[in-house]
Amino acid sequence: MTDTNNAPDDTQKDPLKSMSGSLATLSDNGQLTSGSGSASPMKSSVKLSESNGTLKLGKSPKPSRTMALHCHTTDDTVLSYNKFILYENKLRFYIVASNTSDSRHKIIKIDRTSQDELNVVEDDATYNGKQMSEMLKMIEDGNKASGGLGKARVLFGVIGFIRFTAGWYMIAISRRSVVALFGGHYVYHCEETDMIPVCSTHRIERPAEEQRLIGIFKQVDLSKNFYFSYTYDLTSTLQHNLTRPVPSHRIINDRYAWNHHLTTTPFEGKDDGSPPQKAWWLLPLIHGHVDQAKLTVLGRIVFVTLIARRSRHHAGARYLKRGVNDEGNVANEVETEQIVSETVTTPFYYPATRDTPTGSKKRRPSPNFTSYVQYRGSIPIYWTQELNSMSPKPPIEISVMDPFYTPASRHFDDLFARYGAPLMILNLIKRREPQPRESKLLEEYTQCVEYLNQFLPEDKKIVYRAWDMSRAYKEKTHDVISYLEDFAEESIQLTGFFHSGPEPYSHFLKSEELAERTGTELPWRSTMSLQNGICRTNCVDCLDRTNAAQFVFGKRALGHQLYALGIVESPNLGFDSDAVNMLTEMYHDHGDTLAMQYTGSALVNRVETYRRMPHWNSHSRDIIENFRRFYTNSLLDADKQAAINLFLGVQDDRPIGRSSLPLKRGSYLNWFHQENLEPAYQLAECEQGIQQFVQTRGDFWIEYYRPLLFTSLGKHFVYCMNSTLKLPGKTAADINQSPFLPHHNVIHPPR
């Protein structure tokens, strides 16, 4: 069968297709051999030049007529380069980048003669297949003395460079897999990477130390929970990507780009250091979790996507990274985004109407995309837990008493700058204990918020909610889920959520009908909806209780998102329905993944625990996970922390990018920046930004639709995606059943 929108095929043959039939062929033994081009041989080789802070490819003063006439000098970043062929000889690397349809190519050169310096040359020009064949033929002829183009290998991107004691290594992605799709943009999981020495004569004076550092570096397993995309900025939220003005060059949120050190440090001292930020061939990696599933609603398909982004600041293992650092960065900081979209059309826009004048693009933003963002992070005060005994729960010590809460003020001011006001805090740590542990943090944290709140304007004060979730569960007199539903509804009403268009017109008709019958008129939103503000959730570890709370927030947000899309009649979703069961499993995987990254074990208490519906083997599983967590924290965390520090470029536990000078203390009273209290997203600006986005960044179909590719449904990502129809006990006959009907009469409405 012919598949028009299948996921990219990551077998070796896919990236090695001939570029217009002349660039490369795959031999029977799987080796890549360069094809013959039509350009005349050229003896002069490529040379290095620098201009305006960017590295460029200096070409021969006598280029061929074909190249001079037809070589493109501009690059549309929407048409991504997602396949890379690495040619290597003794003197240099040549990386040929190609798009999905093999119609556009670029070339990069990396010098291999110097062990101390990393010299990378980018060619600004864009070539078609025939032109690239001519270029490679020229390079082959001009470098015969050093082995020509040499052998080739297939890559799927470069994520940076690293140096230990001597010489540079290039870190490249050699295998990938598709994990999500929205708006025609694929999101990939990094399955395997290669560490390739750059210098061909790599001499190591201290081989033992080099191998030790390489071993530490490889403890950060790049094949687990690292994600990237060629066309979509995973480091930023959907709201930010769609509504911010389109920049002239790529700008990423380096807080969540875990390979930021690998892409910037090698280029420091070269002009302004800007090439890594703008380089299209250096892929930003996020560390966290990405999951996607689909709801089948009476034939309508709805995608539910979870994206968790772990911050690279103050990152590390459980007992070694607690609280806050001097810059206001907290431990275990994760931003979780829940995207719900209906797949009426694939892209982020509707096509132009028939009455649109010829030659003009008047696309309309698709109103089928929604997102809701949550935040978790350690309590922003100075506190530690010393793991120097056999106690599974070491005592909590507040190491520094700052009466002005300077690090916390920096932290909250940064949250205001990123998300805007209002800021809601849901603090779930214990209030009363036989031996005070968590309660010490509760008292200090409460005083911190009260102190900082007194200087904020009345309508911008931090909304602080402290609730002992553990005690409420143990007393069995409180419905934990109902309380969390109340907090979730309060937060969503405060901050809102992002919706790329107005409410469905059916809501307006129902509002008019209700007004005629009862005289009560419901408001109808005729514009897009924006999320301004964030809910910050924490417990002690920001794992078990926090994940259960974030699931309830996600469930409540899912109801509002589906209602905004016109799929359900009420935002109140009952438990034990197919939709909520699927979301529960997604948040279980989300929590297990984040817990493994921070503590080395999965979640101990899950959502079913707080619903008082535990599985029969949950108690034994919790005991095993507790033992695993204790073993990992006691014996393995030191090595894990050393690996993370080396990977992120942290030295002597100093904050990333901090100089030797002490931080400048801000004002004790005006601890915030006044402009940060304004809404982070203004409606007029965002409407203009999304219009600009759909007009200039929407030409995705050249990369997404591949009608000439012969494939099968087994390789179709959307077809193989988890869905409500694939839950246990489901059959094809259930396609006519609503996934929102509860199987049991167990509903936890807001109180």
Side-chain angles (χ1 to χ4, degrees):
M1 64 175 293
T2 300
D3 184 13
T4 59
N5 57 349
N6 65 299
D9 183 7
D10 288 344
T11 59
Q12 272 198 333
K13 293 184 180 180
D14 181 41
L16 306 183
K17 294 177 183 175
S18 61
M19 302 176 185
S20 296
S22 60
L23 174 60
T25 59
L26 189 65
S27 62
D28 293 337
N29 60 2
Q31 298 297 321
L32 185 69
T33 58
S34 58
S36 60
S38 59
S40 58
M42 184 173 297
K43 296 298 182 182
S44 58
S45 60
V46 187
K47 62 182 181 180
L48 178 69
S49 66
E50 298 186 16
S51 175
N52 298 328
T54 59
L55 297 172
K56 298 181 180 179
L57 187 65
K59 294 186 283 290
S60 169
K62 295 181 180 180
S64 66
R65 180 178 299 273
T66 304
M67 259 182 229
L69 291 177
H70 300 291
C71 190
H72 305 289
T73 57
T74 60
D75 184 24
D76 183 2
T77 57
V78 177
L79 303 179
S80 67
Y81 299 90
N82 56 13
K83 295 175 296 184
F84 301 82
I85 302 176
L86 173 65
Y87 298 93
E88 57 179 295
N89 57 34
K90 295 181 180 179
L91 298 182
R92 48 187 70 87
F93 285 137
Y94 295 98
I95 301 178
V96 176
S98 308
N99 64 344
T100 301
S101 57
D102 288 306
S103 61
R104 296 155 47 85
H105 309 276
K106 292 179 77 75
I107 191 168
I108 308 135
K109 187 188 77 169
I110 303 175
D111 184 69
R112 303 192 67 192
T113 59
S114 175
Q115 182 165 297
D116 298 327
E117 294 185 5
L118 180 66
N119 297 316
V120 180
V121 182
E122 301 177 14
D123 191 349
D124 285 341
T126 303
Y127 305 90
N128 61 29
K130 184 178 180 180
Q131 295 160 0
M132 182 52 67
S133 296
E134 296 175 358
M135 171 66 77
L136 292 179
K137 179 63 176 176
M138 288 171 14
I139 296 174
E140 173 79 23
D141 294 342
N143 291 272
K144 285 184 177 179
S146 58
L149 282 177
K151 62 180 181 179
R153 70 171 79 181
V154 181
L155 304 175
F156 293 105
V158 178
I159 59 176
F161 300 86
I162 185 70
R163 180 179 179 178
F164 302 109
T165 62
W168 291 93
Y169 296 87
M170 180 172 65
I171 315 299
I173 300 172
S174 56
R175 195 157 60 91
R176 66 186 182 184
S177 63
V178 180
V179 293
L181 168 69
F182 43 88
H185 301 272
Y186 283 109
V187 177
Y188 298 88
H189 179 256
C190 180
E191 297 287 343
E192 188 177 341
T193 58
D194 292 333
M195 181 182 290
I196 306 170
V198 172
C199 184
S200 57
T201 57
H202 199 72
R203 296 185 302 273
I204 303 174
E205 297 180 357
R206 295 180 293 168
E209 179 68 9
E210 182 85 0
Q211 290 302 316
R212 185 185 72 86
L213 293 175
I214 291 177
I216 293 175
F217 180 83
K218 288 185 176 181
Q219 287 187 34
V220 176
D221 192 351
L222 288 171
S223 65
K224 292 182 179 179
N225 311 130
F226 283 90
Y227 304 89
F228 65 95
S229 176
Y230 299 102
T231 57
Y232 183 81
D233 181 12
L234 276 180
T235 64
S236 300
T237 64
L238 178 68
Q239 177 174 267
H240 180 277
N241 289 336
L242 294 188
T243 61
R244 291 305 191 195
V246 179
S248 58
H249 59 274
R250 184 179 69 176
I251 298 177
I252 63 172
N253 183 2
D254 62 52
R255 171 175 291 273
Y256 299 113
W258 265 58
N259 59 331
H260 182 71
H261 170 68
L262 305 180
T263 59
T264 56
T265 303
F267 300 94
E268 288 179 351
K270 296 183 180 181
D271 297 324
D272 59 353
S274 58
Q277 295 292 337
K278 302 177 184 179
W280 45 268
W281 53 277
L282 289 174
L283 299 175
L285 286 181
I286 68 165
H287 186 39
H289 178 71
V290 176
D291 192 12
Q292 188 174 51
K294 59 183 177 182
L295 294 172
T296 304
V297 188
L298 303 178
R300 300 170 69 177
I301 303 299
V302 178
F303 285 176
V304 180
T305 311
L306 276 186
I307 302 176
R309 307 174 180 91
R310 180 175 293 280
S311 172
R312 66 186 178 92
H313 297 290
H314 204 46
R318 181 188 184 190
Y319 288 128
L320 300 179
K321 289 295 181 179
R322 291 294 210 188
V324 67
N325 64 9
D326 293 341
E327 290 188 335
N329 298 309
V330 295
N332 198 19
E333 176 186 346
V334 181
E335 177 188 84
T336 299
E337 182 178 17
Q338 178 176 297
I339 300 174
V340 179
S341 59
E342 186 180 4
T343 58
V344 176
T345 58
T346 299
F348 290 119
Y349 64 88
Y350 282 160
T353 57
R354 291 185 178 182
D355 56 353
T356 302
T358 304
S360 63
K361 295 181 179 180
K362 293 298 181 182
R363 300 166 177 159
R364 298 162 294 157
S366 171
N368 298 319
F369 291 88
T370 65
S371 76
Y372 178 69
V373 181
Q374 303 182 65
Y375 180 94
R376 70 171 71 183
S378 188
I379 296 176
I381 58 177
Y382 291 116
W383 63 281
T384 59
Q385 279 182 285
E386 296 293 337
L387 192 63
N388 53 11
S389 65
M390 293 302 294
S391 173
K393 293 184 177 181
I396 293 176
E397 300 293 337
I398 299 178
S399 53
V400 177
M401 301 293 291
D402 183 0
F404 303 103
Y405 302 102
T406 305
S409 67
R410 291 195 177 100
H411 173 70
F412 291 132
D413 188 42
D414 180 61
L415 290 183
F416 281 131
R418 287 151 58 188
Y419 302 108
L423 171 60
M424 179 176 175
I425 296 175
L426 180 58
N427 186 11
L428 301 174
I429 62 178
K430 297 177 181 177
R431 183 179 300 273
R432 288 183 293 175
E433 300 171 290
Q435 181 69 28
R437 290 181 64 255
E438 297 184 18
S439 55
K440 295 191 293 185
L441 292 177
L442 174 64
E443 181 180 355
E444 187 71 14
Y445 195 16
T446 304
Q447 292 179 1
C448 168
V449 175
E450 290 176 351
Y451 171 80
L452 296 177
N453 248 350
Q454 62 182 329
F455 305 112
L456 288 171
E458 191 64 33
D459 59 336
K460 305 294 184 181
K461 291 186 182 298
I462 299 172
V463 180
Y464 180 69
R465 298 288 182 262
W467 181 57
D468 190 344
M469 181 175 172
S470 179
R471 187 174 185 86
Y473 166 70
K474 291 178 181 178
E475 286 183 348
K476 299 183 179 180
T477 58
H478 297 83
D479 188 346
V480 175
I481 300 299
S482 293
Y483 273 87
L484 290 175
E485 288 257 17
D486 288 343
F487 292 132
E489 184 64 24
E490 179 186 13
S491 174
I492 294 172
Q493 294 300 326
L494 282 173
T495 66
F497 62 94
F498 172 67
H499 181 204
S500 59
E503 285 188 76
Y505 193 68
S506 60
H507 291 185
F508 174 74
L509 297 178
K510 289 180 181 179
S511 175
E512 283 193 332
E513 180 185 356
L514 182 64
E516 291 178 0
R517 286 191 292 107
T518 64
T520 303
E521 185 175 351
L522 295 177
W524 178 70
R525 176 171 49 83
S526 60
T527 62
M528 65 190 303
S529 171
L530 300 172
Q531 178 175 350
N532 276 300
I534 196 74
C535 180
R536 185 193 194 282
T537 308
N538 71 268
C539 50
V540 171
D541 296 320
C542 298
L543 296 176
D544 302 341
R545 285 168 281 178
T546 298
N547 197 73
Q550 288 199 333
F551 158 73
V552 177
F553 275 65
K555 171 193 167 291
R556 194 68 191 163
L558 176 66
H560 283 279
Q561 290 171 290
L562 292 172
Y563 179 75
L565 295 175
I567 295 173
V568 296
E569 294 183 350
S570 170
N572 298 320
L573 299 181
F575 277 88
D576 296 302
S577 62
D578 290 342
V580 176
N581 287 342
M582 186 187 71
L583 187 71
T584 303
E585 291 303 317
M586 294 179 71
Y587 270 92
H588 280 171
D589 295 339
H590 166 266
D592 284 340
T593 301
L594 298 181
M596 286 292 294
Q597 295 166 7
Y598 191 51
T599 69
S601 70
L603 290 174
V604 175
N605 296 312
R606 296 170 175 258
V607 175
E608 288 85 354
T609 305
Y610 295 103
R611 291 186 63 199
R612 298 189 173 90
M613 298 174 59
H615 194 268
W616 62 271
N617 67 346
S618 62
H619 185 64
S620 58
R621 183 187 57 79
D622 291 350
I623 294 176
I624 294 173
E625 293 300 333
N626 272 318
F627 273 116
R628 180 181 298 174
R629 187 172 292 185
F630 175 69
Y631 168 77
T632 302
N633 299 154
S634 302
L635 302 179
L636 305 179
D637 275 2
D639 293 338
K640 179 180 178 179
Q641 187 65 56
I644 292 175
N645 287 346
L646 180 61
F647 186 88
L648 296 178
V650 179
Q651 298 179 359
D652 302 326
D653 283 337
R654 290 182 298 176
I656 300 175
R658 178 179 171 182
S659 65
S660 58
L661 299 176
L663 285 172
K664 183 179 179 180
R665 183 178 292 276
S667 172
Y668 296 124
L669 302 181
N670 298 320
W671 55 267
F672 54 90
H673 292 82
Q674 187 65 40
E675 60 272 16
N676 293 344
L677 299 182
E678 299 300 322
Y681 296 89
Q682 300 283 352
L683 181 60
E685 295 178 0
C686 290
E687 287 184 334
Q688 181 179 359
I690 197 171
Q691 288 290 345
Q692 181 185 3
F693 179 90
V694 300
Q695 303 302 333
T696 60
R697 299 291 300 275
D699 296 328
F700 76 100
W701 59 81
I702 297 178
E703 306 301 317
Y704 180 69
Y705 287 110
R706 305 169 67 187
L708 300 181
L709 179 65
F710 185 81
T711 185
S712 63
L713 283 176
K715 294 183 179 181
H716 193 290
F717 173 71
V718 177
Y719 179 81
C720 299
M721 188 189 303
N722 291 330
S723 72
T724 51
L725 294 182
K726 294 184 179 181
L727 293 174
K730 293 294 177 180
T731 63
D734 294 312
I735 192 172
N736 295 322
Q737 300 295 323
S738 172
F740 307 112
L741 295 177
H743 304 302
H744 308 285
N745 294 323
V746 181
I747 302 176
H748 303 265
R751 293 180 299 113

